[in-house]
Amino acid sequence: MRHFLVLAGDATVLPWMQAVVDRGDRVVRIVTLQESLAGRVRDQFPGFETLPFIQPELISAPPECDSVLLSGADPSLFVAARQLGSTGLPVLVVTTSSGPSSTLFDLMPLWEERRTKLVPGFSSGLEQFAEHLLGATIPSRVEFEREVPCASPLITEQKAFDWFFQDVHWLTRLAGHSHQPRWEHVQAIWTGQQQQQLAEGMVTLSGTDAAETTWRIKPTTGTERWRLTLWDGETSQAWTNADVPTGLQSDLTATLQRFDEALTTSSDDSWNDVLLCGHLLAGVQRSLLKQRKVPVHFEEISERNQFKTQMSAIGCGVLLWAMFGAILLLAVAGTMDPRDREQRTAQAADFILSSPEFTETGALTENGQRHIELIATNWSSTTAPVLIDLPESAGTTARPQVLAALQSHNLSGIDNRLLVRQRTGAWFERLVQLGWLAVFGPLLVFLAAQALIVLSNPGRSGNI
């Protein structure tokens, strides 16, 4: 026996609550978005605790509650479901009016993090009938037509999308038998279209490993009707809503049973059904936009994969920036460098003696003496001159001291390589340093971010 907390956004939750009660489970608390819906709930289920919807972060489950039933399309409902699911409560999501092209995917992180079970609930009315037909021969073609009661001779485009999302779930099983078909192309044609309303809609799904399937929808002023035709070569067999066998388990009861089974298994792939239906619905919308047959893309839509894609794009961007930035910086630095060849070679060899290495009288300090020893060690390995970076008057006084220090190491050609002059282009050196930081700084930050991601997920398999 399960104890449900219900997050109700619209009236589609009512038959599910009835199925919960009929199965012997218990509804502990109902949180509703609208007062009118709360009134309907109280009329149909007297005695149930009904509360108005508050801020998602303030919604809590009673201690005896062990499951969440979610129905509706309001984004705040999905925020509340994510927070409740993050505490470990399994969530059963009614997909009837959840906006399959958008809001349903707000729950993707909850499924990816594997903190709880997330199970979708489809209610086309033909789920169990399709299961009943799976024992027959795999069809070569499937045709399905649904007539939906409407007050006007037109049906809204959104209602057509909602019904397609529900029907394509069981059509995938019927068209592919034991394996899940991968339709390769989809073509949608709306007839009599006026301001997001249509007189009839048709979708054709085709591929090499699944039966070609045609789905139609149109409004009717009478009761709801449907017709299913399975073709095997030139022969066909048709069923209508009047042909459903009596005693067949309802879709809602079967989903509740599957919800129970999902809580006792380690696999958690039921949300893949939502992804597949979402891909096919996206194909229908693209086909209507382009007014032609379009391929179906089955990429895995998830925040994690989106993050991977974004990080890959950022990584490629910073690598290209570093490569072209380095080339540009070298080219600009080569044309703007105010230093002459003698200063550049002396600076590269570390043969420049600056003012901190001299006393006020021009004598070498202790640091200056150590620098002279370093210069003497590398003297024969380079032809770089020794620069005394002092004003002319101070440099003239310091030159004999440097000359004597170098001669004490028995070096040759000292006089010709000893120059007194101040360095130029100090601003240029700082500018180049800033340039290298601008070129390689983004790459270093990106690599640091990657390291932090790995460190923050040490135990997760398949790290980003």
Side-chain angles (χ1 to χ4, degrees):
M1 179 178 180
R2 306 213 63 82
H3 297 75
F4 282 90
L5 166 67
V6 178
L7 299 176
D10 55 34
T12 58
V13 75
L14 297 177
W16 286 89
M17 290 176 57
Q18 187 63 55
V20 168
V21 173
D22 293 343
R23 209 174 75 101
D25 294 329
R26 181 185 170 203
V27 176
V28 178
R29 178 179 295 171
I30 307 166
V31 181
T32 59
L33 275 178
Q34 305 130 2
E35 178 57 32
S36 58
L37 178 59
R40 293 184 62 180
V41 170
R42 286 191 290 266
D43 292 341
Q44 187 170 343
F45 304 97
F48 283 18
E49 182 184 8
T50 306
L51 299 177
F53 190 88
I54 54 179
Q55 295 181 4
E57 60 272 12
L58 299 180
I59 295 177
S60 61
E64 66 272 25
C65 179
D66 57 14
S67 302
V68 177
L69 175 63
L70 169 65
S71 176
D74 193 283
S76 59
L77 289 171
F78 292 89
V79 175
R82 286 179 61 175
Q83 295 191 359
L84 292 169
S86 64
T87 65
L89 290 174
V91 183
L92 174 61
V93 184
V94 178
T95 63
T96 307
S97 58
S98 299
S101 61
S102 56
T103 51
L104 271 181
F105 295 98
D106 291 343
L107 295 173
M108 286 296 297
L110 190 61
W111 175 62
E112 293 169 343
E113 292 167 4
R114 299 295 194 265
R115 294 185 182 180
T116 186
K117 295 289 185 178
L118 187 66
V119 178
F122 295 88
S123 56
S124 66
L126 282 91
E127 292 279 345
Q128 297 309 300
F129 183 63
E131 294 283 342
H132 175 72
L133 296 177
L134 286 180
T137 307
I138 300 176
S140 59
R141 193 165 81 250
V142 178
E143 295 180 359
F144 178 73
E145 180 177 324
R146 179 183 289 279
E147 296 184 18
V148 180
C150 291
S152 69
L154 299 177
I155 184 174
T156 64
E157 189 175 46
Q158 185 57 51
K159 182 174 286 189
F161 288 151
D162 291 343
W163 274 115
F164 175 80
F165 189 83
Q166 297 297 311
D167 287 332
V168 79
H169 180 245
W170 62 267
L171 284 171
T172 56
R173 295 286 312 280
L174 198 58
H177 204 215
S178 60
H179 73 284
Q180 187 180 72
R182 287 293 186 181
W183 283 302
E184 299 170 359
H185 295 90
V186 57
Q187 184 172 14
I189 300 175
W190 286 174
T191 57
Q193 192 169 9
Q194 299 178 13
Q195 298 179 348
Q196 297 184 336
Q197 291 184 318
L198 57 141
E200 183 177 354
M202 183 180 71
V203 177
T204 302
L205 301 161
S206 58
T208 56
D209 63 344
E212 181 177 293
T213 301
T214 301
W215 176 87
R216 290 185 178 89
I217 189 169
K218 60 183 180 179
T220 179
T221 56
T223 58
E224 179 181 347
R225 297 190 299 269
W226 55 261
R227 179 182 177 85
L228 173 65
T229 306
L230 302 182
W231 292 80
D232 183 12
E234 297 298 325
T235 62
S236 65
Q237 187 173 3
W239 296 267
T240 66
N241 50 301
D243 299 322
V244 177
T246 58
L248 200 63
Q249 191 179 36
S250 71
D251 291 349
L252 277 60
T253 303
T255 301
L256 291 171
Q257 182 177 339
R258 190 164 56 250
F259 181 63
D260 277 344
E261 295 171 354
L263 303 184
T264 59
T265 60
S266 57
S267 62
D268 190 14
D269 57 354
S270 58
W271 204 251
N272 287 322
D273 295 341
V274 174
L275 295 178
L276 176 62
C277 296
H279 291 315
L280 295 171
L281 177 60
V284 170
Q285 293 169 336
R286 287 199 312 274
S287 176
L288 292 171
L289 181 64
K290 298 183 179 182
Q291 296 185 352
R292 59 178 176 83
K293 181 187 291 187
V294 298
V296 181
H297 302 293
F298 288 101
E299 300 96 353
E300 184 182 345
I301 302 175
S302 69
E303 284 190 359
R304 181 173 298 172
N305 277 359
Q306 289 174 0
F307 179 74
K308 289 180 180 180
T309 302
Q310 292 171 357
M311 292 299 286
S312 299
I314 294 173
C316 292
V318 296
L319 284 174
L320 289 174
W321 166 255
M323 180 177 68
F324 290 108
I327 295 173
L328 179 62
L329 182 62
L330 291 172
V332 172
T335 58
M336 295 179 59
D337 194 350
R339 302 169 300 172
D340 57 18
R341 184 181 64 82
E342 291 177 339
Q343 180 177 329
R344 290 199 300 270
T345 54
Q347 193 168 349
D350 194 19
F351 279 13
I352 298 181
L353 297 167
S354 55
S355 57
E357 297 172 308
F358 295 95
T359 64
E360 293 181 357
T361 61
L364 287 165
T365 62
E366 186 177 348
N367 289 336
Q369 291 290 348
R370 285 197 295 268
H371 198 172
I372 288 294
E373 292 177 1
L374 181 63
I375 292 174
T377 301
N378 299 324
W379 183 265
S380 59
S381 63
T382 180
T383 59
V386 178
L387 261 61
I388 301 175
D389 183 18
L390 294 173
E392 186 175 355
S393 57
T396 303
T397 304
R399 189 178 189 278
Q401 304 293 332
V402 176
L403 181 61
L406 291 173
Q407 287 175 345
S408 66
H409 289 83
N410 298 320
L411 304 176
S412 60
I414 298 175
D415 193 60
N416 294 331
R417 294 173 61 180
L418 187 59
L419 306 176
V420 177
R421 50 181 289 187
Q422 287 187 287
R423 285 189 296 178
T424 60
W427 61 269
F428 175 76
E429 296 174 18
R430 289 193 293 270
L431 185 62
V432 170
Q433 291 173 354
L434 291 175
W436 287 122
L437 182 62
V439 168
F440 290 103
L443 181 59
L444 295 176
V445 171
F446 177 77
L447 293 176
Q450 293 291 307
L452 288 175
I453 292 172
V454 174
L455 292 175
S456 64
N457 298 273
R460 177 178 293 177
S461 60
N463 286 328
I464 297 174

